[in-house]
Structure formats: C-alpha cells, structure tokens
Amino acid sequence: MEQKQITPYIAITIGVLAVSTSAIFVRLADAPSSIVALYRLLFASLLMVPLVLLKYRHELVKVSSRDLLLSTASGVFLALHFILWFESLNHTSVASSVVLVTTQPIWAFLGGYLFFKERFTSGAVISLFIALVGSVIISWGDFQISGMALFGNFLALLGAIAVTGYFLFGQTVRKRLSLIPYTFIVYGISSLTLVIYNLVIQESFTGYTSDTWLYFLALAIIPTFFGHTLFNWAIKWVNASTITMGILFEPVGASILAFFILDELVTWSQFLGGVIVIFGLILFIFSTTKKKKVKVLDK
C-alpha cells in the first residue's frame, strides 16, 4: 500500500523532468518550427502503431463519424498549438515561453465558462488576476530587452489558447474512446494538418542534420511517452489536480535545463513574473478543483 502511494509521485516527478526537455529539444533542432512540430507528432504516431494494431484496432473501426469530426478539430488545434509554441521559442526565452504556455488551465476554464456555462468562484477570479499580473511583468521585462521577445510571449499565450481548443473538442470524445486510440487518431490528424501546412508554406521535409533528426525523435519519445504517458498512468492513483500541480513546475525544470544547456539566464522580470504566474495558477487550481477537473497539458 505504501509503495502504491509513493510510486505515482515518483512517476509524476519523472514526468515533469521529461516534459521539461521539450522546449530544449525544440531550440536545439535546426529546423523550422512547423517541421519540428510535424516530426514530433508523426514519430509519436508511428511509435504507437504496433500497440494500436495489437490491442486497439477493434475500437478504432467502431469510431463514429461524430467522434471522428471532433477528433479532427482537436487534432487541428493541437497542430496549431505546437506551431505557435515552437515558434515562440524562436523569439523569446525558454523561461518566458514555458511559463506563459503553462497558463492553459486558465484558458480551459474560460472556455468552459463561455461554451459550457461554468461559473467562476471568487477565488478563481482573484487567481486569474494574479496570473495576469505575472504575465504582464514577464512581458514588460522582455519588451525592455527586445520587441521580438514580446512577440514570442504573445505566440506562447496563443499556443496556450490553441491547446485549450484541443481539450475542449476532445473531452467528449475521451468519454467514449480509451486514451491510446484517441491519442493515435489526434496525433495522426495533427500530423496530416502539419504536412498540409508545411506544403502550403513550402518548407522542406528533408535536408536536416542527423542531430536534428535525433532531436525530432527525442521530442516524440521523452516529453510525450516518458512525460504524458506517466502522467496518465499516475492518474489512476492521484487526482488530475495533483498532476496539474506537478506540471506547473515544468517552467522551473525547463529554465534550469536552458541555463546549463543553452546558457540562457533568467532575468529578474522573468523570475518575479514566473513566480507570480505559478502562484496564481496554484490558487486557481485549488479554487476550481471542486468545479472542474483540470486537464493535463499535452506538450
């Protein structure tokens, strides 16, 4: 019994460390953002094929047209999320980008308010304001350094909003489909969306260094399978809010990795604003736990 109580928290810790590498691999990959997004999702989809064919093929053939349509919308928004977030890392720091994209629980709750008529608690309103203040501090400090950093911060916020669309469209489908088939469908649709997008903007699908191909594969394996797969395993023993709280420490892990691997320093405004944003998100999660289960961010 004691081991079962401890093991999920070890899994969450490993998961947080794994997802913290995502922004680092994106920075290290010498390729356009949309190409990095494509190969992360494509390789993740291909790695899932054996498992899907062996255990879930019967569930796949029974997917209704309505669920396929909702999954398609979810996959398009996931592709948009990766395009926006990965591109933000070309313009702003890892610390700023990851903190701002982690505000997704707030946008999810706002989406629930607009589309599902969910009500705000007073605690949620206060925590939203606190997180907003932290975001302004980060953006103001980055603007003093570079206008392009502010643009990168804006893209990261748009990426957080886009992943909210991914969750809102997918949440009803997940009630009828198990995790693996749903994820496989969404990743496949996202990959197709990104293929079309890259064809339209005429990005090259080949010609990248061997190191960059390894970073593509690492993105598909480490933050995806060692990150979110462990989160989804741990949710059997702990609630979703506990996992979401763990994910809030991703900016800390990503910033530490960026310091040692990318020689990227954290400015005072990024540190202060980041602490305020995370504090606001923690308050937000506590104030909304009884209202709604906060979704795990799939980065």
Side-chain angles (χ1 to χ4, degrees), residues 8 11-12 14-16 18-19 40 44 48 51 179-180 183 187 220-237 243 247 296-299:
I12 292 170
I14 295 171
V16 171
V19 297
R40 171 180 176 165
M48 293 174 71
L51 178 62
L179 177 67
I180 298 299
T183 304
Y187 282 8
I221 295 174
I222 298 176
T224 305
F225 294 116
F226 285 97
H228 296 284
T229 299
L230 285 177
F231 292 147
N232 287 307
W233 175 84
I235 205 169
K236 181 177 179 181
W237 287 282
I243 293 175
I247 292 175
V296 176
L297 177 62
D298 188 14
K299 284 189 197 153

Side-chain angles (χ1 to χ4, degrees), residues 89 144 188:
L89 289 163
Q144 303 301 306

Side-chain angles (χ1 to χ4, degrees), residues 183-221:
T183 304
F184 180 71
I185 292 171
V186 171
Y187 282 8
I189 290 169
S190 292
S191 300
L192 180 60
T193 302
L194 287 162
V195 167
I196 295 170
Y197 177 82
N198 282 294
L199 285 172
V200 171
I201 65 174
Q202 298 183 336
E203 293 288 8
S204 175
F205 293 92
T206 59
Y208 303 107
T209 65
S210 56
D211 285 346
T212 294
W213 286 105
L214 287 175
Y215 294 137
F216 292 159
L217 186 60
L219 275 166
I221 295 174

Side-chain angles (χ1 to χ4, degrees), residues 47-74:
L47 289 169
M48 293 174 71
V49 168
L51 178 62
V52 171
L53 291 179
L54 286 173
K55 290 191 174 183
Y56 298 98
R57 62 182 183 276
H58 298 300
E59 190 173 348
L60 277 179
V61 299
K62 294 179 181 179
V63 176
S64 68
S65 56
R66 180 175 180 270
D67 284 347
L68 186 58
L69 181 62
L70 289 171
S71 298
T72 298
S74 182

Side-chain angles (χ1 to χ4, degrees), residues 84-85 88 92 96-98 100-101 103 151-161:
L84 291 166
W85 180 42
S88 79
T92 192
S96 295
S97 179
V98 177
L100 293 173
V101 85
T103 60
F151 176 65
N153 292 347
F154 178 66
L155 290 177
L157 284 174
L158 289 181
I161 295 171

Side-chain angles (χ1 to χ4, degrees), residues 154-189:
F154 178 66
L155 290 177
L157 284 174
L158 289 181
I161 295 171
V163 83
T164 301
Y166 156 66
F167 284 127
L168 290 177
F169 279 106
Q171 64 182 8
T172 56
V173 182
R174 276 289 286 118
K175 294 175 183 177
R176 294 182 290 273
L177 282 182
S178 54
L179 177 67
I180 298 299
Y182 169 73
T183 304
F184 180 71
I185 292 171
V186 171
Y187 282 8
I189 290 169

